[in-house]
Amino acid sequence: MLKYDFILLSGDMEGFLKKLQGLGVVDITRSTKPIDENSEKLSARADVLRRSLTALKEIVPAQKAGAKSKDAAAEILSLKTEKEALQAGIPQLLKEIEDRKQWGLFDKSSLEKLSERGLKLHFYKTKTSAINPEWQQQYAMSEISSDGTYTSFVVVSDSDDFDFPLKEIPAPESDYAALEKQVEELRKSIAEKEQRLSELKCLEPEINAELVKTMANLDLHLANVSGTKAAEDYITVFEGFAPAENEASLNAVLDEENAIYLVDKAKEDDNPPIKLKNNKFVSMFELLTDMYGRPKYNEFDPTFWISIFFMLFFAFCMGDAGYGLILILASFALKKKMPKIASLGLVLGIATTVVGFIFHTFFSMDLMTWSCIPDGLKKIMLPSTIMGFDGAMVLAIIVGVIHLCLAMVIKTWQATKHHGFANSLGTWGWTLLIVGGVIVGGLALIGVLDSAVTKWIIIVLGVLSALGIFFLNDLHRNPLLNFGSGLWETYNTATGLLGDVLSYLRLYALGLAGAKLGEAFNAIGLQALGDGGAGWIAFILIVVIGHVLNVAMCVLGAFVHPLRLNFLEFFKNSGYEGTGRKYNPLTENINN
């Protein structure tokens, strides 16, 4: 990344920035939030446009296009708000209708005439079993309705001294027919607003174009006010960054402008923006890197490693080839609406299918028991037990150890790159001890190294590691302080590393939980199947609904926990900070 310092007359500022905006390669150092009245207005307008586009997503376009509006975005939001307000009132009205149906249809004017004659109606509702038969003889009582459990009735009195054993309820304001008419009118009004929204759907491209233009104008304005004024505001100085590969073309354009510019290679202290350079496959996982934070300048890009291990961990947590096929089908279904998510889902689905086959699990059924699968393919499937322990659990620990060792190697490489070998001996000591110990132990375990050779290699690694950890961790510090620092780091590493390794057991636990839940649905479905016949319907419903729910829960866990293992365990042990800022060039085509 190259750093540019621009010096030009304040009057030429806007035209010059528009020129840079047309190029679309210079990241002007600017605020990302509104800072004055003009930027507040542009930001507010962009918000209206963005929300109107969101409101139109689920709207079906009208058959007749060509709708017009003075301000389509504002009208869409207004219609949406009014429609939601009308819809919110219907459930309460429907509840009141059910409550009033117990009193049937009546003429309110007739009740008023009775009141004028001195006759007053008292309304009651109680359990049918609680009604005393003698009340019919003692009071002018008339049953209105009954559902077998509760009975609604009225009692007519001609005096103010009326007394009845039950608590009186308020009289209905009107019968349910009036409310049904009100609901009908609300639904009609909602339909009218939905129709207008359908007509406005054809203006979606225009609204989107205005949003792009508004965001570009906001970006341009923020860049314009980011400069530093000098010489009584006659001169403006501002900085920007551009990729090194664009230097020749950018400089050619700048040479034609009435501006002075200085260009130099960006330094870490300049806090330059970060533009990631990954291939098509790895770039799909950049959204995960951005969830944590982009690497700062001269820091390694973790996206490549995330692409490998997140995919592997996700597949490990799902652990079912059948669920992988569901993810693949779902990805194809989402390809048009959410292409980026669909592409990532397709990759994760393929990985889940492959790992699920290795785990010999298909919709929680054991593929090892299927006679249709050749014995040659069964040989590549994971053994049920490894060294007396569950095979998936052992594999989870092995993968976790490899992940952490890789993180430590990266940390050592970064420390050597930035501080030099002599100033990184402490880091080298830990890497030799842990990574070297794991490699030697693994080779000894599979019989490549005999016990005598293994013993001497471990001794040499231990001595070299101890020198780096306890005595050479800082060549510019007192040896006693180095030793004390080494002891403290040993305590933290010993306790922390064990917890980090055990964290990878979550991969095994999530896969096991999903498999057992799937097995339970299969078992319940088989019980419902019985001897066949009508039981097939129950079997299909139980198995399909059960596995769909299981897939949904597994996907949630398979996303969150692998992300945690990368963000916490891997990043902590690799020394990744992720405090860089995203490359955001001034451009006319802003992606929203």
Side-chain angles (χ1 to χ4, degrees), residues 2 6 29 77 96 135 138 149 185 188 207 212 328 375 401 419 429 467 475 497 530 556:
L2 299 175
F6 301 99
T29 303
L77 291 183
E96 290 184 24
W135 291 348
Q138 299 173 2
T149 304
E185 290 174 352
K188 182 180 178 181
I207 297 173
V212 172
I328 292 172
D375 292 335
V401 170
H419 308 296
L467 288 174
L475 298 178
L497 200 59
L556 180 61

Side-chain angles (χ1 to χ4, degrees), residues 46-68:
D47 183 60
V48 170
L49 294 167
R50 195 179 291 109
R51 288 191 290 122
S52 67
L53 288 172
T54 302
L56 287 178
K57 279 186 178 179
E58 304 301 325
I59 300 297
V60 178
Q63 294 182 351
K64 287 186 177 182
K68 295 182 180 180

Side-chain angles (χ1 to χ4, degrees), residues 31-144:
S31 171
T32 58
K33 297 180 180 179
I35 58 175
D36 58 14
E37 185 178 353
N38 191 19
S39 57
E40 287 281 0
K41 289 180 180 179
L42 289 170
S43 180
R45 180 59 182 171
D47 183 60
V48 170
L49 294 167
R50 195 179 291 109
R51 288 191 290 122
S52 67
L53 288 172
T54 302
L56 287 178
K57 279 186 178 179
E58 304 301 325
I59 300 297
V60 178
Q63 294 182 351
K64 287 186 177 182
K68 295 182 180 180
S69 177
K70 291 183 179 180
D71 188 345
E75 184 179 354
I76 289 167
L77 291 183
S78 177
L79 288 168
K80 179 176 179 289
T81 302
E82 293 170 5
K83 173 189 166 185
E84 290 175 348
L86 294 173
Q87 289 175 327
I90 290 179
Q92 181 61 32
L93 288 174
L94 293 176
K95 183 177 181 301
E96 290 184 24
I97 288 172
E98 290 301 316
D99 291 341
R100 291 189 186 185
K101 276 187 176 180
Q102 63 185 314
W103 305 111
L105 296 172
F106 59 89
D107 185 359
K108 192 173 182 181
S109 62
S110 300
L111 299 182
E112 294 174 350
K113 290 179 181 179
L114 288 174
S115 180
E116 291 173 359
R117 296 179 181 180
L119 298 177
K120 185 176 181 182
L121 268 65
H122 304 272
F123 293 79
Y124 299 94
K125 182 177 181 180
T126 188
K127 286 186 176 181
T128 304
S129 59
I131 295 178
N132 190 338
E134 296 180 359
W135 291 348
Q136 293 281 2
Q137 308 300 325
Q138 299 173 2
Y139 304 97
M141 175 179 168
S142 177
E143 181 180 313
I144 305 300

Side-chain angles (χ1 to χ4, degrees), residues 138-451:
Q138 299 173 2
Y139 304 97
M141 175 179 168
S142 177
E143 181 180 313
I144 305 300
S145 65
S146 177
D147 60 5
T149 304
Y150 287 90
T151 297
S152 301
F153 60 93
V154 295
V155 177
V156 182
S157 68
D158 57 0
S159 67
D160 295 334
D161 297 334
F162 174 78
D163 185 30
F164 194 77
L166 299 179
K167 183 179 180 181
E168 185 176 352
I169 63 175
E173 296 180 5
S174 63
D175 59 27
Y176 66 88
L179 291 181
E180 285 182 334
K181 185 177 180 180
Q182 189 175 345
V183 169
E184 184 179 349
E185 290 174 352
L186 286 177
R187 285 175 173 162
K188 182 180 178 181
S189 181
I190 290 171
E192 291 173 353
K193 297 186 186 305
E194 288 178 341
Q195 176 61 30
R196 179 56 179 164
L197 285 169
S198 297
E199 294 171 358
L200 293 172
K201 176 78 172 179
C202 66
L203 300 178
E204 190 172 10
E206 297 178 18
I207 297 173
N208 189 65
E210 185 186 349
L211 174 59
V212 172
K213 184 178 179 181
T214 302
M215 291 300 297
N217 289 337
L218 174 61
D219 214 23
L220 182 65
H221 176 75
L222 291 173
N224 197 3
V225 298
S226 66
T228 302
K229 304 293 183 180
E232 297 182 352
D233 292 347
Y234 284 106
I235 295 176
T236 301
V237 180
F238 61 99
E239 70 174 13
F241 297 89
E245 59 265 25
N246 298 115
E247 181 180 10
S249 58
L250 177 58
N251 289 353
V253 174
L254 293 177
D255 289 338
E256 297 176 358
E257 296 298 314
N258 186 25
I260 299 174
Y261 68 92
L262 304 174
V263 58
D264 193 10
K265 186 177 180 181
K267 301 179 181 62
E268 187 174 348
D269 294 340
D270 297 326
N271 189 27
I274 305 301
K275 180 181 180 181
L276 301 179
K277 298 179 181 179
N278 293 304
N279 58 39
K280 189 175 181 180
F281 170 75
V282 176
S283 62
M284 289 190 296
F285 295 84
E286 287 180 359
L287 60 93
L288 301 181
T289 301
D290 287 338
M291 289 175 65
Y292 186 89
R294 291 218 165 180
K296 63 182 183 180
Y297 203 61
N298 289 330
E299 190 175 27
F300 79 100
D301 178 9
T303 312
F304 173 77
W305 303 111
I306 288 177
S307 68
I308 295 174
F309 286 99
F310 179 84
M311 179 178 64
L312 177 61
F313 294 165
F314 183 94
F316 210 119
C317 290
M318 296 294 290
D320 192 296
Y323 291 178
L325 294 178
I326 291 178
L327 290 178
I328 292 172
L329 294 175
S331 299
F332 280 116
L334 294 173
K335 193 172 183 179
K336 289 185 178 180
K337 290 187 176 181
M338 295 183 287
K340 291 184 178 180
I341 299 298
S343 298
L344 181 59
L346 179 62
V347 170
L348 296 177
I350 294 172
T352 299
T353 303
V354 173
V355 172
F357 181 81
I358 293 173
F359 284 3
H360 47 87
T361 305
F362 186 82
F363 288 110
S364 298
M365 295 180 287
D366 191 354
L367 295 177
M368 280 286 195
T369 62
W370 290 19
S371 59
C372 59
I373 297 179
D375 292 335
L377 287 178
K378 289 183 179 180
K379 289 180 180 180
I380 67 173
M381 295 180 180
L382 184 71
S384 299
T385 59
I386 299 175
M387 297 181 295
F389 298 97
D390 187 283
M393 182 181 71
V394 174
L395 185 60
I397 294 295
I398 292 174
V399 169
V401 170
I402 293 173
H403 199 217
L404 293 175
C405 286
L406 175 63
M408 298 188 73
V409 170
I410 292 174
K411 182 178 182 179
T412 305
W413 167 61
Q414 286 283 296
T416 305
K417 177 183 175 182
H418 293 298
H419 308 296
F421 177 76
N423 294 320
S424 309
L425 293 176
T427 307
W428 272 97
W430 283 112
T431 303
L432 283 174
L433 179 64
I434 297 172
V435 179
V438 167
I439 294 173
V440 172
L443 293 175
L445 194 63
I446 62 177
V448 175
L449 298 176
D450 59 32
S451 58

